[in-house]
Amino acid sequence: MPVLDSKLCMKCFACLSACPNSAISESQNGPKFDNKKCKKCGTCAQMCPAGAITV
Ligand code: SF4
Ligand code: SF4
């Protein structure tokens, strides 16, 4: 399950389109991860320009 550091997130939502499993949705506080859909591939963490996601 990816963990978001909300202090680093700039809400660009690059992670959302990068997720191959559509496990990320938009929320006011940044990306919201769907536990059931996430395959822990790490793509979102790699694509985040702010380094705000840890998988
Ligand atoms: S890519 Fe990174 S900075 Fe952009 S919304 Fe996702 S977590 Fe936040
Ligand atoms: S780890 Fe992979 S499957 Fe999970 S939210 Fe990130 S990009 Fe999507």
Side-chain angles (χ1 to χ4, degrees):
M1 177 69 170
V3 175
L4 177 74
D5 185 334
S6 51
K7 289 195 293 289
L8 294 176
C9 178
M10 9 182 230
K11 302 183 179 71
C12 67
F13 295 107
C15 51
L16 195 153
S17 40
C19 177
N21 300 301
S22 305
I24 307 179
S25 55
E26 240 179 88
S27 85
Q28 272 191 337
N29 303 321
K32 193 164 163 280
F33 302 99
D34 184 329
N35 244 336
K36 292 199 191 89
K37 290 184 181 171
C38 177
K39 303 280 189 263
K40 302 181 178 70
C41 66
T43 305
C44 54
Q46 283 167 24
M47 294 301 288
C48 175
I53 304 176
T54 310
V55 177

Coordinates of all heavy atoms in Angstrom, one line a residue:
M1 N 0.9 -1.2 0.0 CA 0.0 0.0 0.0 C 0.9 1.2 0.0 O 1.7 1.4 0.9 CB -0.9 0.0 1.2 CG -1.8 1.2 1.4 SD -3.1 1.3 0.1 CE -4.0 2.6 0.8
P2 N 0.8 2.1 -1.0 CA 1.6 3.3 -1.1 C 1.2 4.3 0.1 O 0.1 4.4 0.5 CB 1.2 3.9 -2.4 CG 0.6 2.9 -3.2 CD -0.1 1.9 -2.2
V3 N 2.2 4.9 0.6 CA 2.0 5.9 1.7 C 2.4 7.3 1.1 O 3.5 7.4 0.5 CB 2.9 5.5 2.9 CG1 2.8 6.6 4.0 CG2 2.5 4.2 3.5
L4 N 1.6 8.2 1.4 CA 1.8 9.6 0.9 C 2.3 10.5 2.0 O 1.8 10.5 3.1 CB 0.4 10.2 0.4 CG 0.5 11.6 -0.1 CD1 1.1 11.7 -1.4 CD2 -0.9 12.2 -0.1
D5 N 3.4 11.2 1.6 CA 3.8 12.3 2.5 C 3.1 13.6 2.0 O 3.6 14.2 1.0 CB 5.3 12.4 2.4 CG 5.9 13.4 3.4 OD1 5.1 14.4 3.8 OD2 7.1 13.3 3.8
S6 N 2.1 14.0 2.7 CA 1.3 15.1 2.2 C 2.0 16.4 2.3 O 1.6 17.4 1.6 CB -0.1 15.2 3.0 OG 0.2 15.1 4.4
K7 N 3.1 16.5 3.1 CA 3.8 17.7 3.1 C 4.6 17.9 1.8 O 4.9 19.1 1.4 CB 4.8 17.7 4.3 CG 4.1 17.8 5.7 CD 5.1 18.1 6.8 CE 6.1 17.0 7.1 NZ 5.4 15.9 7.8
L8 N 5.0 16.8 1.2 CA 5.8 16.9 -0.1 C 4.9 17.0 -1.3 O 5.2 17.6 -2.3 CB 6.7 15.7 -0.2 CG 7.8 15.6 0.8 CD1 8.6 14.3 0.6 CD2 8.7 16.8 0.8
C9 N 3.7 16.4 -1.2 CA 2.8 16.4 -2.4 C 2.3 17.7 -2.9 O 1.9 18.6 -2.1 CB 1.6 15.5 -2.1 SG 0.4 15.4 -3.4
M10 N 2.5 18.0 -4.2 CA 2.0 19.3 -4.8 C 0.7 19.1 -5.6 O 0.3 20.0 -6.3 CB 3.1 19.9 -5.6 CG 4.3 19.0 -5.9 SD 5.6 19.7 -6.9 CE 5.8 18.5 -8.1
K11 N 0.1 18.0 -5.4 CA -1.2 17.7 -6.1 C -1.2 17.9 -7.6 O -2.1 18.5 -8.2 CB -2.3 18.6 -5.4 CG -2.4 18.4 -3.9 CD -3.5 19.2 -3.3 CE -3.7 18.9 -1.8 NZ -2.6 19.5 -1.0
C12 N -0.1 17.4 -8.2 CA 0.0 17.5 -9.7 C -0.8 16.3 -10.3 O -1.1 16.4 -11.5 CB 1.4 17.4 -10.1 SG 2.2 15.9 -9.7
F13 N -1.0 15.3 -9.6 CA -1.7 14.1 -10.0 C -1.0 13.3 -11.2 O -1.7 12.7 -11.9 CB -3.2 14.3 -10.2 CG -3.9 14.7 -8.9 CD1 -4.3 16.0 -8.7 CD2 -4.1 13.8 -7.9 CE1 -4.8 16.4 -7.5 CE2 -4.6 14.2 -6.7 CZ -5.0 15.5 -6.5
A14 N 0.3 13.5 -11.3 CA 1.0 12.7 -12.3 C 0.9 11.2 -11.9 O 0.9 10.3 -12.7 CB 2.5 13.1 -12.3
C15 N 0.8 10.9 -10.6 CA 0.8 9.6 -10.1 C -0.5 8.9 -10.6 O -0.5 7.7 -10.9 CB 0.8 9.5 -8.6 SG -0.3 10.7 -7.7
L16 N -1.6 9.7 -10.6 CA -2.9 9.1 -11.0 C -2.8 8.5 -12.4 O -3.2 7.3 -12.6 CB -3.9 10.2 -10.9 CG -5.4 9.9 -10.9 CD1 -6.2 10.9 -10.2 CD2 -5.9 9.7 -12.3
S17 N -2.3 9.3 -13.4 CA -2.3 8.7 -14.7 C -1.2 7.7 -14.9 O -1.2 6.9 -15.8 CB -2.1 9.9 -15.7 OG -1.2 10.8 -15.3
A18 N -0.2 7.7 -14.0 CA 0.9 6.7 -14.1 C 0.5 5.3 -13.6 O 1.1 4.3 -14.0 CB 2.1 7.2 -13.3
C19 N -0.5 5.2 -12.8 CA -0.9 3.9 -12.2 C -1.5 3.0 -13.2 O -2.5 3.3 -13.8 CB -1.8 4.1 -11.0 SG -2.4 2.5 -10.3
P20 N -0.9 1.8 -13.5 CA -1.4 0.9 -14.5 C -2.6 0.2 -14.0 O -3.3 -0.5 -14.8 CB -0.2 -0.1 -14.7 CG 0.6 0.0 -13.4 CD 0.4 1.4 -12.9
N21 N -3.0 0.3 -12.7 CA -4.1 -0.5 -12.2 C -5.3 0.4 -11.8 O -6.2 0.0 -11.1 CB -3.7 -1.3 -11.0 CG -2.6 -2.3 -11.5 OD1 -2.8 -3.1 -12.3 ND2 -1.4 -2.2 -10.9
S22 N -5.2 1.7 -12.2 CA -6.3 2.6 -11.8 C -6.6 2.6 -10.3 O -7.8 2.6 -10.0 CB -7.6 2.4 -12.7 OG -7.3 2.4 -14.0
A23 N -5.6 2.5 -9.5 CA -5.8 2.4 -8.1 C -5.7 3.8 -7.4 O -5.8 3.8 -6.2 CB -4.7 1.5 -7.5
I24 N -5.5 4.8 -8.2 CA -5.4 6.2 -7.5 C -6.5 7.1 -8.0 O -6.8 7.1 -9.2 CB -4.0 6.8 -7.9 CG1 -2.9 5.8 -7.6 CG2 -3.8 8.1 -7.1 CD1 -1.5 6.4 -7.9
S25 N -7.1 7.7 -7.0 CA -8.1 8.7 -7.4 C -7.7 10.1 -6.7 O -6.9 10.1 -5.8 CB -9.5 8.3 -6.9 OG -9.5 8.0 -5.5
E26 N -8.4 11.1 -7.2 CA -8.1 12.4 -6.7 C -8.9 12.7 -5.5 O -10.0 12.4 -5.4 CB -8.5 13.4 -7.8 CG -7.3 14.3 -8.3 CD -7.8 15.3 -9.4 OE1 -8.2 16.4 -9.0 OE2 -7.7 14.9 -10.6
S27 N -8.2 13.4 -4.5 CA -8.9 13.9 -3.4 C -8.4 15.3 -3.0 O -7.3 15.7 -3.6 CB -8.8 13.0 -2.2 OG -7.6 13.3 -1.4
Q28 N -9.0 16.0 -2.2 CA -8.6 17.3 -1.8 C -7.2 17.3 -1.2 O -6.4 18.2 -1.3 CB -9.5 17.9 -0.8 CG -10.7 18.6 -1.4 CD -11.5 19.5 -0.4 OE1 -11.4 19.2 0.8 NE2 -12.2 20.5 -0.9
N29 N -6.8 16.2 -0.5 CA -5.5 16.1 0.1 C -4.5 15.5 -0.7 O -3.4 15.1 -0.2 CB -5.7 15.3 1.4 CG -6.7 15.9 2.4 OD1 -6.8 17.1 2.5 ND2 -7.5 15.1 3.0
G30 N -4.8 15.2 -2.0 CA -3.8 14.6 -2.9 C -4.3 13.2 -3.3 O -5.5 13.0 -3.2
P31 N -3.5 12.3 -3.8 CA -3.9 11.0 -4.3 C -4.5 10.1 -3.2 O -4.0 10.2 -2.0 CB -2.6 10.4 -4.9 CG -1.5 11.1 -4.2 CD -2.0 12.5 -3.9
K32 N -5.5 9.4 -3.5 CA -6.1 8.4 -2.6 C -5.9 7.1 -3.2 O -6.2 6.8 -4.4 CB -7.6 8.7 -2.5 CG -8.3 8.0 -1.4 CD -9.6 8.7 -1.1 CE -10.5 7.9 -0.3 NZ -11.2 6.8 -1.1
F33 N -5.3 6.1 -2.5 CA -5.0 4.8 -3.0 C -6.0 3.8 -2.6 O -6.5 3.7 -1.5 CB -3.6 4.4 -2.4 CG -2.5 5.4 -2.7 CD1 -2.1 6.3 -1.8 CD2 -1.9 5.4 -4.0 CE1 -1.1 7.2 -2.1 CE2 -0.9 6.3 -4.3 CZ -0.5 7.2 -3.3
D34 N -6.4 3.0 -3.6 CA -7.4 1.9 -3.4 C -6.6 0.6 -3.1 O -6.0 0.0 -4.0 CB -8.2 1.8 -4.7 CG -9.3 0.7 -4.5 OD1 -9.1 -0.3 -3.8 OD2 -10.4 0.9 -5.1
N35 N -6.7 0.2 -1.9 CA -6.0 -1.0 -1.4 C -6.2 -2.2 -2.3 O -5.3 -3.0 -2.5 CB -6.5 -1.3 0.0 CG -5.4 -1.2 1.0 OD1 -4.3 -1.3 0.7 ND2 -5.8 -0.9 2.3
K36 N -7.5 -2.4 -2.7 CA -7.9 -3.6 -3.4 C -7.3 -3.6 -4.8 O -6.9 -4.7 -5.4 CB -9.4 -3.7 -3.5 CG -10.0 -3.9 -2.2 CD -11.5 -4.5 -2.3 CE -12.2 -4.5 -1.1 NZ -13.0 -3.2 -0.8
K37 N -7.2 -2.4 -5.5 CA -6.7 -2.4 -6.8 C -5.1 -2.3 -6.9 O -4.5 -2.7 -7.9 CB -7.3 -1.2 -7.5 CG -8.7 -1.3 -7.8 CD -9.2 -0.1 -8.7 CE -10.7 -0.1 -9.0 NZ -11.1 1.2 -9.6
C38 N -4.5 -1.8 -5.9 CA -3.0 -1.6 -5.9 C -2.3 -2.9 -5.9 O -2.6 -3.8 -5.1 CB -2.6 -0.7 -4.7 SG -0.8 -0.5 -4.6
K39 N -1.3 -3.0 -6.9 CA -0.5 -4.2 -7.0 C 0.9 -4.0 -6.4 O 1.8 -4.8 -6.7 CB -0.4 -4.7 -8.4 CG -1.8 -4.9 -9.0 CD -2.3 -6.3 -8.6 CE -3.6 -6.7 -9.4 NZ -4.8 -6.4 -8.7
K40 N 1.1 -2.8 -5.8 CA 2.4 -2.5 -5.2 C 3.5 -2.5 -6.2 O 4.6 -3.0 -5.9 CB 2.7 -3.4 -4.0 CG 1.6 -3.4 -2.9 CD 2.0 -4.3 -1.8 CE 1.0 -4.2 -0.7 NZ -0.3 -4.8 -1.1
C41 N 3.3 -2.0 -7.4 CA 4.3 -2.1 -8.4 C 5.3 -1.0 -8.3 O 6.4 -1.1 -8.8 CB 3.6 -1.9 -9.8 SG 2.9 -0.3 -10.1
G42 N 5.0 0.1 -7.6 CA 5.9 1.2 -7.3 C 6.0 2.3 -8.4 O 6.8 3.2 -8.3
T43 N 5.2 2.1 -9.5 CA 5.3 3.1 -10.5 C 4.9 4.5 -10.1 O 5.6 5.5 -10.4 CB 4.3 2.7 -11.7 OG1 4.6 1.4 -12.1 CG2 4.4 3.6 -12.9
C44 N 3.9 4.6 -9.2 CA 3.5 5.9 -8.7 C 4.7 6.6 -8.0 O 4.9 7.8 -8.2 CB 2.3 5.8 -7.9 SG 2.5 4.7 -6.5
A45 N 5.4 5.8 -7.2 CA 6.5 6.4 -6.4 C 7.6 6.9 -7.4 O 8.2 7.9 -7.2 CB 7.0 5.4 -5.4
Q46 N 7.9 6.1 -8.4 CA 8.9 6.4 -9.4 C 8.5 7.7 -10.2 O 9.4 8.5 -10.5 CB 9.1 5.3 -10.4 CG 9.9 4.1 -9.8 CD 9.9 2.9 -10.7 OE1 9.6 3.0 -11.9 NE2 10.1 1.7 -10.1
M47 N 7.2 7.8 -10.5 CA 6.8 8.9 -11.3 C 6.6 10.2 -10.6 O 6.5 11.3 -11.2 CB 5.5 8.6 -12.0 CG 5.6 7.4 -13.0 SD 6.8 7.7 -14.4 CE 5.9 9.0 -15.3
C48 N 6.5 10.2 -9.3 CA 6.2 11.4 -8.5 C 7.4 12.3 -8.5 O 8.5 12.0 -8.0 CB 5.8 11.0 -7.1 SG 5.6 12.5 -6.0
P49 N 7.2 13.5 -9.0 CA 8.3 14.5 -9.1 C 8.7 15.0 -7.7 O 9.8 15.6 -7.6 CB 7.8 15.6 -10.0 CG 6.3 15.5 -9.9 CD 6.0 14.1 -9.6
A50 N 7.9 14.8 -6.8 CA 8.2 15.4 -5.4 C 8.7 14.3 -4.5 O 9.1 14.6 -3.3 CB 6.9 16.0 -4.9
G51 N 8.8 13.1 -4.9 CA 9.2 12.0 -4.0 C 8.3 11.9 -2.8 O 8.7 11.6 -1.7
A52 N 7.0 12.1 -3.1 CA 6.0 12.1 -2.0 C 5.4 10.7 -1.7 O 4.6 10.6 -0.7 CB 4.9 13.1 -2.3
I53 N 5.7 9.7 -2.5 CA 5.1 8.4 -2.3 C 6.2 7.4 -2.0 O 7.2 7.3 -2.6 CB 4.3 7.9 -3.6 CG1 3.3 9.0 -4.0 CG2 3.7 6.6 -3.3 CD1 2.6 8.7 -5.3
T54 N 5.9 6.6 -1.0 CA 6.7 5.4 -0.6 C 5.8 4.2 -0.8 O 4.7 4.1 -0.2 CB 7.2 5.5 0.8 OG1 7.8 6.8 1.0 CG2 8.2 4.4 1.1
V55 N 6.3 3.2 -1.5 CA 5.5 1.9 -1.7 C 6.2 0.8 -0.9 O 7.4 0.6 -0.9 CB 5.4 1.5 -3.2 CG1 4.7 0.2 -3.3 CG2 4.7 2.6 -3.9
Ligands
SF4_1 S1 2.7 12.7 -8.4 FE1 3.5 13.1 -6.3 S2 3.3 15.3 -6.1 FE2 2.0 14.7 -7.8 S3 -0.1 14.3 -6.8 FE3 1.0 12.4 -6.9 S4 2.0 12.2 -4.9 FE4 1.4 14.3 -5.2
SF4_2 S1 2.0 1.0 -6.4 FE1 1.5 0.6 -8.6 S2 -0.6 -0.2 -8.5 FE2 -0.2 0.7 -6.5 S3 -1.0 2.8 -6.6 FE3 1.2 2.9 -7.2 S4 1.2 2.7 -9.4 FE4 -0.8 2.0 -8.7

